[in-house]
Amino acid sequence: QVQLVESGGGSVQAGGSLRLSCVVSGYIYSRRCMAWFRQAPGQEREGVAFSGGDGTTTYANSVKDRFTISRDYFKSTLYLQMNRLKPEDTAMYYCAQDRSSPYCDPTSLGRGYWGQGTQVTVSS
């Protein structure tokens, strides 16, 4: 079975930076889409960054130019570099992997493999 474990969350002041990691274990196909989602209490889940099997990256407008998604294929790890953090970035962050497709589709990812999440809290 595929397992994903997130880490790197914590508390930081506005304007600071954090790097989240997601370690993938089990048998996986390296070219499948992977992504980062977040969810704050009382709010809908939001896809923030997507990494396609062809190397294409896509970001939500709310994080574009501040967040960067990347992969280390040798370590089977997905990263999310978050810079210039804002209080509205406060949420539980999850990594996800599509079950089969190299193309990133939020609906398909929702039915894929998910980690348990890591909390990010940004204070003013």
Side-chain angles (χ1 to χ4, degrees):
Q1 294 182 348
V2 175
Q3 294 181 321
L4 294 81
V5 180
E6 302 96 334
S7 63
S11 298
V12 65
Q13 292 185 341
S17 299
L18 286 172
R19 188 174 77 157
L20 307 183
S21 299
C22 173
V23 178
V24 182
S25 62
Y27 186 82
I28 63 171
Y29 292 101
S30 62
R31 295 295 180 90
R32 288 184 288 187
C33 174
M34 295 193 70
W36 287 96
F37 289 79
R38 67 185 182 187
Q39 187 169 26
Q43 300 183 20
E44 295 184 349
R45 184 184 65 192
E46 176 188 23
V48 298
F50 303 85
S51 176
D54 62 352
T56 301
T57 57
T58 306
Y59 300 90
N61 289 334
S62 59
V63 307
K64 190 174 183 179
D65 299 324
R66 297 189 297 118
F67 291 11
T68 302
I69 187 171
S70 62
R71 298 192 199 190
D72 186 329
Y73 290 98
F74 292 102
K75 295 183 178 180
S76 297
T77 302
L78 181 74
Y79 300 98
L80 183 67
Q81 179 66 47
M82 305 185 294
N83 298 324
R84 291 179 285 137
L85 284 161
K86 304 175 181 180
E88 51 262 45
D89 294 320
T90 296
M92 184 72 74
Y93 283 72
Y94 303 88
C95 66
Q97 183 183 69
D98 197 273
R99 291 185 180 273
S100 62
S101 179
Y103 304 104
C104 293
D105 175 71
T107 299
S108 181
L109 285 162
R111 299 181 181 275
Y113 302 102
W114 288 73
Q116 296 183 10
T118 184
Q119 178 68 39
V120 172
T121 302
V122 184
S123 60
S124 300

